[in-house]
Amino acid sequence: DGGITQSPKYLFRKEGQNVTLSCEQNLNHDAMYWYRQDPGQGLRLIYYSQIVNDFQKGDIAEGYSVSREKKESFPLTVTSAQKNPTAFYLCASSLGQGTNEKLFFGSGTQLSVL
Amino acid sequence: GQSLEQPSEVTAVEGAIVQINCTYQTSGFYGLSWYQQHDGGAPTFLSYNALDGLEETGRFSSFLSRSDSYGYLLLQELQMKDSASYFCAVRGFRDSARQLTFGSGTQLTVLP
């Protein structure tokens, strides 16, 4: 079955530590996205990538980094510079940044700070 | 910039009809989408409106008025499983790209 796989489902970070969240898709989608969701809040865009080897900052990119070396994969690293990393992280993909495409989301990773 | 407003909570009873409103401000407009998210789950796409009018998909309908920068999601014959958060999202033009901005979500509670 095609879809988006995020791992791990739960992740704990120690102070000063970098952690990486995995996102893999087998939908053959060109565009991929990372969103952050805080309790009771909407989704805020961290980074997005329209094609392999290219990515752009979203609204809240500070303290995060990404790579897009393969079409299927778009890992997100939460660096020690992100002082408030506790949140629900959602990865999504779409066919492309057209005007009417829909986003397909993974099941999310809950990141907490120890 | 882009911003959206939608009510934070709505409560209705099983079998009823509920309307969730969304007003938006955006630079350039390419469409209004709606997503459903159950607690702890992934958002799933419900509908998309690029032109004025009503789009119907089963028990769910979505309406758009571009002149009023307004849309709504209409849920009919409510079922318990419809209890979830509903997000409107607008695609506008920002930072040389068509970017999708989400509202803060409306928590719908369906009572028996």
Side-chain angles (χ1 to χ4, degrees), chain A residues 37 48 59 99 101 103 106, chain B residues 35 37 42 48 91 94 99:
Chain A
Q37 186 175 32
Y48 66 100
D59 296 317
T99 59
E101 84 287 357
L103 268 60
Chain B
Y35 286 79
Q37 184 183 32
Y48 170 81
R91 186 171 291 282
R94 185 167 52 127
Q99 295 196 23

Side-chain angles (χ1 to χ4, degrees), chain A residues 64-83:
Chain A
Y64 301 96
S65 66
V66 293
S67 63
R68 187 83 188 279
E69 298 176 0
K70 298 187 300 182
K71 187 175 185 177
E72 305 80 28
S73 179
F74 192 40
L76 173 74
T77 296
V78 184
T79 74
S80 57
Q82 173 51 245
K83 298 306 180 187

Side-chain angles (χ1 to χ4, degrees), chain A residues 7 50 63 83 102:
Chain A
S7 62
Q50 299 182 57
K83 298 306 180 187
K102 65 180 182 181

Side-chain angles (χ1 to χ4, degrees), chain A residues 3-10 21-25 33-35 76 88-92 104-110, chain B residues 42-43:
Chain A
I4 300 180
T5 302
Q6 288 187 242
S7 62
K9 189 166 180 62
Y10 300 96
L21 284 62
S22 170
C23 178
E24 303 277 333
Q25 55 100 357
Y33 314 80
W34 273 105
Y35 287 91
L76 173 74
F88 190 51
Y89 290 86
L90 285 158
C91 179
F104 294 80
F105 284 87
S107 56
T109 293
Q110 176 64 52

Side-chain angles (χ1 to χ4, degrees), chain B residues 47-84:
Chain B
S47 68
Y48 170 81
N49 295 70
L51 301 175
D52 291 352
L54 191 68
E55 295 280 344
E56 298 182 67
T57 308
R59 294 187 297 114
F60 294 1
S61 303
S62 57
F63 172 83
L64 174 67
S65 169
R66 288 175 297 169
S67 60
D68 296 321
S69 297
Y70 164 76
Y72 66 72
L73 180 69
L74 190 73
L75 296 83
Q76 303 182 74
E77 301 173 18
L78 281 174
Q79 301 175 8
M80 299 295 289
K81 67 179 182 179
D82 297 329
S83 290

